[in-house]
Coordinates of all heavy atoms in Angstrom, one line a residue:
M18 N 99.6 105.8 84.2 CA 99.6 104.3 84.5 C 98.1 103.9 84.5 O 97.3 104.5 85.0 CB 100.2 104.1 85.9 CG 100.4 102.7 86.2 SD 101.2 102.5 87.8 CE 102.9 102.9 87.4
D19 N 97.9 102.7 83.8 CA 96.6 102.1 83.8 C 96.3 101.4 85.1 O 96.9 100.3 85.4 CB 96.4 101.2 82.6 CG 95.0 100.7 82.5 OD1 94.2 100.6 83.5 OD2 94.7 100.3 81.3
G20 N 95.4 101.9 86.0 CA 95.2 101.4 87.3 C 94.4 100.1 87.3 O 94.1 99.5 88.4
S21 N 94.0 99.6 86.1 CA 93.3 98.3 86.1 C 94.3 97.2 85.8 O 93.9 96.0 85.7 CB 92.2 98.3 85.1 OG 92.8 98.4 83.8
K22 N 95.6 97.5 85.6 CA 96.6 96.5 85.2 C 97.8 96.5 86.0 O 98.2 97.5 86.6 CB 97.0 96.8 83.7 CG 95.8 96.6 82.8 CD 96.2 96.8 81.3 CE 95.0 96.5 80.4 NZ 95.2 97.2 79.1
I23 N 98.4 95.3 86.1 CA 99.8 95.2 86.6 C 100.7 94.5 85.6 O 100.3 93.5 85.1 CB 99.8 94.5 87.9 CG1 99.2 95.3 89.0 CG2 101.3 94.1 88.4 CD1 99.1 94.7 90.4
N24 N 101.8 95.1 85.2 CA 102.6 94.6 84.2 C 101.9 94.3 82.9 O 102.1 93.3 82.2 CB 103.4 93.3 84.7 CG 104.3 93.6 85.8 OD1 104.8 94.7 85.9 ND2 104.4 92.6 86.7
G25 N 101.0 95.2 82.5 CA 100.2 95.1 81.3 C 99.1 94.1 81.3 O 98.4 94.0 80.3
Q26 N 98.9 93.4 82.4 CA 97.9 92.4 82.5 C 96.7 92.9 83.3 O 96.9 93.5 84.4 CB 98.3 91.1 83.2 CG 99.5 90.5 82.5 CD 99.1 89.7 81.3 OE1 98.0 89.2 81.2 NE2 100.0 89.6 80.2
Q27 N 95.5 92.7 82.9 CA 94.3 93.0 83.7 C 94.4 92.3 85.1 O 94.7 91.1 85.2 CB 93.0 92.4 83.0 CG 91.8 93.1 83.4 CD 91.6 94.5 82.8 OE1 92.2 94.8 81.8 NE2 91.0 95.4 83.5
V28 N 94.3 93.2 86.1 CA 94.6 92.6 87.5 C 93.3 92.0 88.0 O 92.2 92.4 87.8 CB 95.1 93.8 88.3 CG1 94.0 94.7 88.8 CG2 95.9 93.2 89.5
T29 N 93.4 91.0 88.9 CA 92.3 90.4 89.6 C 92.3 90.8 91.1 O 93.4 91.1 91.6 CB 92.3 88.9 89.5 OG1 93.5 88.4 90.2 CG2 92.4 88.4 88.1
E30 N 91.2 90.7 91.7 CA 91.1 91.0 93.2 C 92.1 90.1 93.9 O 92.7 90.5 94.8 CB 89.7 90.8 93.6 CG 89.7 91.0 95.1 CD 88.2 91.3 95.6 OE1 87.6 92.1 95.0 OE2 87.8 90.6 96.6
A31 N 92.1 88.8 93.6 CA 93.0 87.9 94.3 C 94.4 88.3 94.3 O 95.1 88.2 95.3 CB 92.8 86.5 93.8
E32 N 94.9 88.8 93.1 CA 96.2 89.2 93.0 C 96.5 90.4 93.8 O 97.6 90.6 94.5 CB 96.5 89.6 91.5 CG 96.7 88.4 90.6 CD 96.7 88.8 89.1 OE1 96.3 90.0 88.8 OE2 97.0 88.0 88.3
L33 N 95.5 91.4 93.8 CA 95.7 92.6 94.5 C 95.8 92.3 96.1 O 96.6 92.8 96.8 CB 94.6 93.6 94.2 CG 94.7 94.2 92.8 CD1 93.4 95.0 92.5 CD2 95.9 95.1 92.7
L34 N 94.9 91.5 96.5 CA 94.9 91.2 98.0 C 96.1 90.5 98.4 O 96.7 90.7 99.4 CB 93.6 90.4 98.3 CG 92.3 91.2 98.1 CD1 91.1 90.3 98.5 CD2 92.2 92.5 98.8
A35 N 96.6 89.6 97.5 CA 97.8 88.8 97.8 C 99.0 89.7 97.8 O 100.0 89.4 98.5 CB 98.0 87.7 96.8
A36 N 98.9 90.8 97.1 CA 100.0 91.8 97.0 C 99.9 92.9 98.1 O 100.6 93.9 98.0 CB 100.1 92.4 95.6
D37 N 99.0 92.6 99.0 CA 98.9 93.6 100.2 C 98.1 94.8 99.9 O 98.2 95.8 100.6 CB 100.3 94.0 100.7 CG 100.4 93.6 102.1 OD1 99.6 92.8 102.6 OD2 101.5 94.1 102.8
Y38 N 97.3 94.8 98.8 CA 96.4 95.9 98.6 C 95.2 95.8 99.5 O 94.7 94.7 99.7 CB 95.9 96.0 97.2 CG 96.9 96.6 96.2 CD1 98.0 95.8 95.8 CD2 96.8 97.8 95.7 CE1 98.9 96.3 94.9 CE2 97.7 98.3 94.8 CZ 98.8 97.6 94.4 OH 99.7 98.1 93.5
R39 N 94.7 96.9 100.0 CA 93.5 96.9 100.8 C 92.3 97.3 99.9 O 92.4 98.2 99.1 CB 93.6 97.8 102.0 CG 92.5 97.8 102.9 CD 92.8 98.4 104.2 NE 91.6 98.6 104.9 CZ 91.5 99.2 106.1 NH1 92.5 99.8 106.6 NH2 90.4 99.4 106.7
K40 N 91.2 96.7 100.1 CA 90.0 96.9 99.2 C 89.1 98.0 99.8 O 88.7 97.9 101.0 CB 89.2 95.7 99.1 CG 88.0 95.8 98.1 CD 87.3 94.4 98.0 CE 86.2 94.5 97.1 NZ 85.5 93.2 96.9
Y41 N 88.6 98.9 99.0 CA 87.6 100.0 99.4 C 86.5 99.8 98.4 O 86.6 100.2 97.2 CB 88.2 101.3 99.4 CG 89.4 101.5 100.3 CD1 90.7 101.1 100.1 CD2 89.1 102.0 101.6 CE1 91.7 101.3 101.0 CE2 90.1 102.2 102.5 CZ 91.4 101.8 102.2 OH 92.4 101.9 103.1
Q42 N 85.5 99.1 98.9 CA 84.4 98.7 98.0 C 83.5 99.8 97.5 O 83.2 100.7 98.3 CB 83.5 97.7 98.7 CG 82.6 96.9 97.8 CD 82.1 95.6 98.4 OE1 82.6 95.2 99.4 NE2 81.3 94.9 97.7
G43 N 83.0 99.8 96.3 CA 82.1 100.8 95.8 C 81.0 100.0 95.0 O 81.1 98.8 94.8
E44 N 80.0 100.8 94.6 CA 78.9 100.2 93.8 C 79.3 99.8 92.4 O 79.1 98.6 92.0 CB 77.8 101.3 93.7 CG 76.5 100.8 93.1 CD 75.7 99.8 94.0 OE1 75.8 100.0 95.2 OE2 75.0 99.0 93.5
D45 N 80.0 100.7 91.7 CA 80.4 100.4 90.3 C 81.8 100.1 90.1 O 82.3 99.6 89.1 CB 80.0 101.6 89.4 CG 78.5 101.9 89.3 OD1 77.7 100.9 89.5 OD2 78.1 103.0 89.2
V46 N 82.7 100.5 91.1 CA 84.1 100.3 91.0 C 84.7 100.1 92.4 O 84.2 100.7 93.4 CB 84.8 101.5 90.3 CG1 84.6 102.8 91.0 CG2 86.3 101.2 90.1
D47 N 85.5 99.1 92.5 CA 86.2 98.8 93.8 C 87.6 99.5 93.6 O 88.3 99.4 92.6 CB 86.4 97.4 94.1 CG 85.1 96.7 94.4 OD1 84.2 97.4 95.0 OD2 85.0 95.5 94.2
I48 N 88.1 100.1 94.7 CA 89.4 100.7 94.7 C 90.3 99.9 95.6 O 89.9 99.4 96.7 CB 89.3 102.2 95.2 CG1 88.4 103.0 94.3 CG2 90.7 102.8 95.4 CD1 88.2 104.5 94.7
Y49 N 91.5 99.8 95.2 CA 92.5 99.0 96.0 C 93.7 99.9 96.2 O 94.2 100.6 95.3 CB 93.0 97.7 95.2 CG 91.8 96.8 95.0 CD1 90.9 97.1 93.9 CD2 91.5 95.7 95.8 CE1 89.8 96.3 93.7 CE2 90.5 94.9 95.6 CZ 89.6 95.2 94.5 OH 88.5 94.4 94.3
Y50 N 94.2 99.9 97.5 CA 95.4 100.7 97.8 C 96.4 100.0 98.6 O 96.1 99.2 99.5 CB 94.8 101.9 98.7 CG 95.9 102.7 99.3 CD1 96.7 103.6 98.5 CD2 96.1 102.8 100.7 CE1 97.7 104.4 99.0 CE2 97.1 103.6 101.3 CZ 97.9 104.4 100.4 OH 98.8 105.1 101.0
N51 N 97.6 100.2 98.2 CA 98.8 99.6 98.9 C 99.6 100.7 99.5 O 100.4 101.4 98.8 CB 99.6 98.8 97.8 CG 100.6 98.0 98.6 OD1 101.2 98.3 99.6 ND2 101.0 96.8 98.0
K52 N 99.6 100.8 100.8 CA 100.4 101.9 101.5 C 101.9 101.7 101.3 O 102.6 102.7 101.4 CB 99.9 102.0 102.9 CG 100.3 100.9 103.8 CD 99.9 101.3 105.2 CE 100.2 100.3 106.3 NZ 100.6 98.9 106.1
N53 N 102.3 100.5 101.1 CA 103.8 100.2 101.0 C 104.3 100.8 99.7 O 105.5 101.0 99.6 CB 104.0 98.7 101.1 CG 103.6 98.2 102.4 OD1 103.6 98.8 103.5 ND2 103.0 97.0 102.4
I54 N 103.4 100.9 98.7 CA 103.9 101.4 97.4 C 103.7 102.9 97.3 O 104.4 103.6 96.5 CB 103.1 100.7 96.3 CG1 103.5 99.2 96.3 CG2 103.4 101.2 94.9 CD1 102.7 98.3 95.4
C55 N 102.7 103.4 98.0 CA 102.4 104.9 97.9 C 103.6 105.8 98.0 O 104.4 105.6 99.0 CB 101.3 105.3 98.9 SG 100.8 107.0 98.9
A56 N 103.8 106.7 97.1 CA 104.8 107.7 97.1 C 104.5 109.0 97.7 O 105.3 110.0 97.7 CB 105.4 107.8 95.7
H57 N 103.2 109.1 98.2 CA 102.7 110.4 98.8 C 102.9 111.6 97.9 O 103.2 112.6 98.4 CB 103.4 110.5 100.2 CG 103.1 109.3 101.1 ND1 101.9 109.0 101.6 CD2 104.0 108.3 101.4 CE1 102.0 107.9 102.3 NE2 103.3 107.4 102.2
I58 N 102.6 111.4 96.7 CA 102.7 112.4 95.7 C 101.4 113.3 95.8 O 101.4 114.5 95.6 CB 102.8 111.9 94.3 CG1 103.9 111.0 94.2 CG2 102.9 113.1 93.3 CD1 105.3 111.5 94.3
G59 N 100.3 112.7 96.2 CA 99.1 113.4 96.4 C 98.2 113.7 95.2 O 97.2 114.4 95.3
N60 N 98.5 113.1 94.1 CA 97.6 113.2 92.9 C 96.2 112.8 93.2 O 95.2 113.4 92.7 CB 98.1 112.4 91.8 CG 99.4 113.0 91.2 OD1 100.0 113.9 91.7 ND2 99.9 112.3 90.2
C61 N 96.0 111.8 94.1 CA 94.7 111.3 94.4 C 93.9 112.3 95.1 O 92.8 112.6 94.8 CB 94.8 110.0 95.1 SG 95.9 110.0 96.5
V62 N 94.5 112.8 96.2 CA 93.7 113.8 97.1 C 93.4 115.1 96.3 O 92.4 115.7 96.5 CB 94.4 114.0 98.4 CG1 94.2 112.8 99.3 CG2 95.8 114.4 98.3
R63 N 94.4 115.5 95.5 CA 94.2 116.7 94.7 C 93.2 116.4 93.6 O 92.4 117.2 93.2 CB 95.4 117.2 94.0 CG 96.3 118.1 95.0 CD 97.4 118.8 94.2 NE 98.3 117.9 93.6 CZ 99.3 117.3 94.2 NH1 99.5 117.6 95.4 NH2 100.1 116.4 93.5
G64 N 93.2 115.2 93.0 CA 92.4 114.9 91.9 C 90.9 114.7 92.3 O 90.0 115.1 91.5
N65 N 90.6 114.2 93.5 CA 89.2 114.1 93.9 C 89.1 114.0 95.4 O 89.1 112.9 95.9 CB 88.4 112.9 93.2 CG 87.0 113.2 93.4 OD1 86.5 113.6 94.5 ND2 86.2 112.9 92.4
P66 N 89.2 115.1 96.1 CA 89.1 115.1 97.6 C 87.9 114.5 98.2 O 87.8 114.2 99.4 CB 89.2 116.6 98.0 CG 89.2 117.4 96.7 CD 89.2 116.4 95.6
A67 N 86.8 114.3 97.4 CA 85.6 113.7 97.9 C 85.8 112.2 98.1 O 85.3 111.5 98.9 CB 84.4 113.9 97.0
V68 N 86.6 111.6 97.1 CA 86.9 110.2 97.2 C 88.1 109.9 98.1 O 88.1 109.0 98.9 CB 87.1 109.7 95.8 CG1 87.5 108.2 95.8 CG2 85.9 109.9 94.9
F69 N 89.2 110.7 97.9 CA 90.4 110.5 98.7 C 90.6 111.6 99.7 O 90.9 112.7 99.3 CB 91.6 110.5 97.7 CG 91.4 109.4 96.6 CD1 90.9 109.7 95.3 CD2 91.8 108.1 96.9 CE1 90.8 108.7 94.3 CE2 91.6 107.1 95.9 CZ 91.1 107.4 94.6
E70 N 90.5 111.3 100.9 CA 90.7 112.3 102.0 C 91.4 111.7 103.1 O 91.0 110.8 103.8 CB 89.2 112.7 102.4 CG 89.2 113.4 103.8 CD 90.0 114.7 103.8 OE1 89.5 115.7 103.2 OE2 91.1 114.7 104.3
V71 N 92.7 112.1 103.2 CA 93.6 111.5 104.1 C 93.2 111.5 105.5 O 93.5 110.5 106.3 CB 95.1 112.1 103.9 CG1 96.1 111.5 105.0 CG2 95.6 111.9 102.5
G72 N 92.5 112.5 106.0 CA 92.1 112.6 107.4 C 90.9 111.9 107.8 O 90.5 111.9 108.9
R73 N 90.3 111.2 106.8 CA 89.0 110.5 107.1 C 89.2 109.0 107.3 O 90.2 108.5 106.8 CB 88.1 110.8 105.9 CG 86.7 110.3 106.0 CD 86.0 110.7 104.7 NE 86.6 110.0 103.5 CZ 86.4 110.4 102.2 NH1 85.7 111.4 102.0 NH2 87.0 109.8 101.3
R74 N 88.3 108.4 108.0 CA 88.3 106.9 108.1 C 87.0 106.4 107.6 O 85.9 106.8 108.2 CB 88.5 106.4 109.5 CG 90.0 106.7 110.0 CD 91.0 105.7 109.3 NE 92.4 106.0 109.6 CZ 93.2 106.8 108.9 NH1 92.7 107.4 107.8 NH2 94.4 107.1 109.3
P75 N 86.9 105.6 106.5 CA 88.0 105.2 105.7 C 88.5 106.4 104.8 O 87.6 107.2 104.4 CB 87.5 104.1 104.8 CG 86.0 104.4 104.7 CD 85.6 105.0 106.1
W76 N 89.7 106.4 104.4 CA 90.2 107.6 103.7 C 89.8 107.5 102.2 O 89.8 108.5 101.5 CB 91.7 107.7 103.8 CG 92.6 106.9 103.0 CD1 92.9 105.6 103.2 CD2 93.3 107.3 101.8 NE1 93.8 105.2 102.2 CE2 94.0 106.2 101.3 CE3 93.3 108.5 101.1 CZ2 94.8 106.2 100.2 CZ3 94.1 108.6 99.9 CH2 94.8 107.5 99.5
I77 N 89.3 106.3 101.8 CA 88.8 106.2 100.3 C 87.3 105.9 100.4 O 86.9 104.9 101.0 CB 89.6 105.1 99.6 CG1 91.1 105.5 99.4 CG2 88.9 104.9 98.2 CD1 91.9 104.4 98.8
L78 N 86.5 106.7 99.7 CA 85.1 106.4 99.6 C 84.8 106.3 98.1 O 84.7 107.3 97.4 CB 84.2 107.4 100.2 CG 84.2 107.4 101.8 CD1 83.4 108.6 102.3 CD2 83.7 106.1 102.3
A79 N 84.7 105.1 97.6 CA 84.6 104.9 96.1 C 83.4 105.4 95.5 O 83.3 105.8 94.3 CB 84.8 103.3 95.8
D80 N 82.3 105.5 96.3 CA 81.1 105.9 95.7 C 80.9 107.5 95.7 O 79.7 108.0 95.4 CB 79.9 105.3 96.5 CG 79.8 103.8 96.1 OD1 80.3 103.4 95.1 OD2 79.2 103.1 97.0
N81 N 81.9 108.2 96.1 CA 81.7 109.7 96.2 C 82.0 110.3 94.8 O 82.1 111.6 94.8 CB 82.7 110.2 97.3 CG 81.9 110.2 98.6 OD1 80.8 109.7 98.8 ND2 82.6 110.8 99.7
A82 N 82.2 109.5 93.8 CA 82.3 110.1 92.4 C 81.9 109.0 91.5 O 81.6 107.9 91.9 CB 83.8 110.5 92.1
S83 N 81.6 109.4 90.3 CA 81.3 108.4 89.2 C 82.4 107.4 89.0 O 83.6 107.8 89.3 CB 80.9 109.1 87.9 OG 82.0 109.6 87.4
A84 N 82.2 106.3 88.5 CA 83.2 105.3 88.3 C 84.2 105.8 87.2 O 85.4 105.7 87.4 CB 82.6 104.0 87.7
D85 N 83.7 106.6 86.2 CA 84.7 107.2 85.3 C 85.6 108.2 86.0 O 86.8 108.2 85.6 CB 83.9 108.0 84.2 CG 83.3 107.0 83.2 OD1 83.7 105.9 83.1 OD2 82.3 107.5 82.5
D86 N 85.1 109.0 86.9 CA 86.0 110.0 87.6 C 87.0 109.2 88.5 O 88.1 109.6 88.6 CB 85.1 110.9 88.4 CG 84.5 112.0 87.5 OD1 84.8 112.0 86.3 OD2 83.5 112.6 88.0
V87 N 86.5 108.2 89.1 CA 87.4 107.4 90.0 C 88.6 106.8 89.1 O 89.8 107.0 89.5 CB 86.7 106.2 90.7 CG1 87.6 105.2 91.3 CG2 85.8 106.8 91.8
V88 N 88.2 106.3 88.0 CA 89.2 105.7 87.1 C 90.3 106.7 86.6 O 91.5 106.5 86.6 CB 88.6 105.0 85.9 CG1 89.6 104.7 84.8 CG2 87.8 103.8 86.4
K89 N 89.7 107.9 86.3 CA 90.6 109.0 85.8 C 91.6 109.4 86.8 O 92.8 109.6 86.5 CB 89.7 110.2 85.5 CG 89.6 110.5 84.0 CD 88.8 111.8 83.8 CE 87.6 111.5 83.0 NZ 86.5 112.4 83.1
V90 N 91.2 109.6 88.1 CA 92.1 109.9 89.1 C 93.1 108.8 89.4 O 94.3 109.1 89.6 CB 91.3 110.3 90.4 CG1 92.3 110.6 91.6 CG2 90.5 111.5 90.2
I91 N 92.6 107.6 89.5 CA 93.5 106.5 89.8 C 94.6 106.4 88.7 O 95.8 106.0 89.0 CB 92.8 105.2 90.0 CG1 92.0 105.3 91.3 CG2 93.7 103.9 90.0 CD1 91.1 104.0 91.6
N92 N 94.3 106.6 87.5 CA 95.2 106.5 86.4 C 96.3 107.6 86.5 O 97.3 107.5 85.8 CB 94.5 106.6 85.1 CG 93.9 105.2 84.8 OD1 94.1 104.2 85.4 ND2 92.9 105.3 83.8
T93 N 96.1 108.6 87.4 CA 97.2 109.6 87.6 C 98.1 109.2 88.7 O 99.1 109.9 89.0 CB 96.6 111.0 87.9 OG1 96.1 111.0 89.2 CG2 95.5 111.4 86.9
C94 N 97.8 108.2 89.4 CA 98.7 107.7 90.5 C 100.0 107.2 89.9 O 100.0 106.2 89.1 CB 98.0 106.6 91.3 SG 99.1 105.9 92.6
P95 N 101.2 107.8 90.2 CA 102.4 107.5 89.5 C 103.1 106.2 90.1 O 104.0 105.7 89.4 CB 103.3 108.7 89.8 CG 102.8 109.3 91.1 CD 101.3 109.0 91.2
S96 N 102.7 105.8 91.3 CA 103.4 104.8 91.9 C 102.8 103.3 91.7 O 103.4 102.3 91.9 CB 103.5 104.9 93.4 OG 102.2 104.8 94.0
G97 N 101.5 103.3 91.3 CA 100.8 102.0 91.2 C 100.2 101.6 92.5 O 99.7 100.5 92.7
A98 N 100.2 102.5 93.5 CA 99.6 102.2 94.9 C 98.1 102.1 94.8 O 97.5 101.5 95.6 CB 100.1 103.3 95.9
L99 N 97.5 102.7 93.8 CA 96.1 102.7 93.6 C 95.7 101.9 92.4 O 96.3 102.0 91.3 CB 95.5 104.1 93.4 CG 95.4 105.0 94.6 CD1 95.0 106.4 94.3 CD2 94.5 104.4 95.7
K100 N 94.8 100.9 92.6 CA 94.3 100.2 91.5 C 92.8 100.2 91.5 O 92.2 100.5 92.6 CB 94.8 98.7 91.6 CG 96.3 98.6 91.5 CD 96.8 98.8 90.0 CE 98.3 98.8 90.0 NZ 98.8 99.3 88.6
Y101 N 92.2 99.7 90.5 CA 90.7 99.7 90.5 C 90.2 98.4 89.7 O 91.0 98.0 88.8 CB 90.0 100.9 89.9 CG 90.2 101.1 88.4 CD1 89.4 100.5 87.5 CD2 91.3 101.9 88.0 CE1 89.6 100.6 86.1 CE2 91.5 102.0 86.6 CZ 90.7 101.4 85.7 OH 90.9 101.6 84.4
I102 N 89.1 97.9 90.1 CA 88.4 97.0 89.2 C 86.9 97.5 89.1 O 86.2 97.7 90.1 CB 88.4 95.6 89.9 CG1 89.8 95.0 90.1 CG2 87.5 94.6 89.2 CD1 89.9 93.7 90.7
R103 N 86.6 97.7 87.8 CA 85.2 98.2 87.5 C 84.3 97.0 87.5 O 84.6 95.9 87.1 CB 85.2 98.8 86.1 CG 85.8 100.2 86.1 CD 85.5 100.8 84.7 NE 84.2 101.5 84.8 CZ 84.0 102.8 84.3 NH1 85.0 103.4 83.8 NH2 82.8 103.3 84.5
K104 N 83.1 97.3 88.0 CA 82.1 96.3 88.1 C 80.9 96.6 87.2 O 79.9 95.8 87.1 CB 81.6 96.1 89.5 CG 82.8 95.8 90.4 CD 82.4 95.4 91.8 CE 81.9 96.6 92.6 NZ 81.7 96.2 94.1
D105 N 81.0 97.8 86.6 CA 79.8 98.2 85.7 C 79.9 98.0 84.3 O 79.1 98.3 83.5 CB 79.5 99.7 86.0 CG 80.7 100.6 85.7 OD1 81.8 100.0 85.5 OD2 80.5 101.8 85.6
E106 N 81.1 97.4 83.9 CA 81.3 97.2 82.4 C 81.6 95.8 82.1 O 82.1 95.5 81.1 CB 82.5 98.0 82.0 CG 82.3 99.6 82.0 CD 83.5 100.3 81.6 OE1 84.6 99.8 81.7 OE2 83.4 101.4 81.2
Q107 N 81.2 94.8 83.0 CA 81.6 93.4 82.7 C 80.4 92.6 82.2 O 79.3 93.1 82.4 CB 82.2 92.8 84.0 CG 83.5 93.4 84.2 CD 84.0 93.1 85.7 OE1 83.5 92.3 86.3 NE2 85.0 93.9 86.1
Ligands
LIG219 S1 98.4 109.3 93.9 FE1 99.2 107.3 94.4 S2 101.3 107.6 95.1 FE2 100.2 109.6 95.2 S3 99.4 109.8 97.2 FE3 97.8 108.9 96.0 S4 98.1 106.7 96.2 FE4 99.9 107.6 96.9

């Protein structure tokens, strides 16, 4: 799943926040997470435990990996609970 899109459209921050996603800000990429959609499959924590760590507050630290790595892991999220907006390619 392409974590930068919803229904094939490039997603905006306003849309994500309106849809109840919470923002985890990073330098090059912002991560958005919606706990109501999360299926607790764990691809994120297995994919990069430095960025996604369930026992930590905040549990997402966007700057603990390169933006490319963040995007790769988010695209493995099967539910759409994780989205991203890159800030380094605009
Ligand atoms: S990969 Fe997506 S669905 Fe799975 S635990 Fe992480 S956020 Fe939830």
Side-chain angles (χ1 to χ4, degrees):
M18 186 179 286
D19 185 334
S21 68
K22 296 185 177 156
I23 290 181
N24 297 330
Q26 301 282 330
Q27 201 73 32
V28 78
T29 66
E30 173 162 315
E32 281 166 352
L33 289 170
L34 297 181
D37 237 13
Y38 281 78
R39 184 162 169 192
K40 181 179 184 179
Y41 297 84
Q42 191 158 356
E44 185 74 26
D45 295 330
V46 60
D47 291 332
I48 298 175
Y49 300 81
Y50 172 67
N51 188 330
K52 67 174 181 348
N53 302 320
I54 296 176
C55 177
H57 304 289
I58 307 290
N60 292 0
C61 50
V62 290
R63 274 194 303 277
N65 195 319
V68 176
F69 303 96
E70 164 59 76
V71 175
R73 186 181 60 199
R74 289 288 174 269
W76 82 279
I77 296 174
L78 289 174
D80 288 337
N81 275 4
S83 69
D85 283 342
D86 285 347
V87 165
V88 165
K89 251 183 243 158
V90 174
I91 289 180
N92 287 344
T93 71
C94 174
S96 68
L99 288 172
K100 297 287 174 190
Y101 68 85
I102 294 179
R103 283 191 88 132
K104 302 190 285 190
D105 57 346
E106 291 181 336
Q107 292 163 14

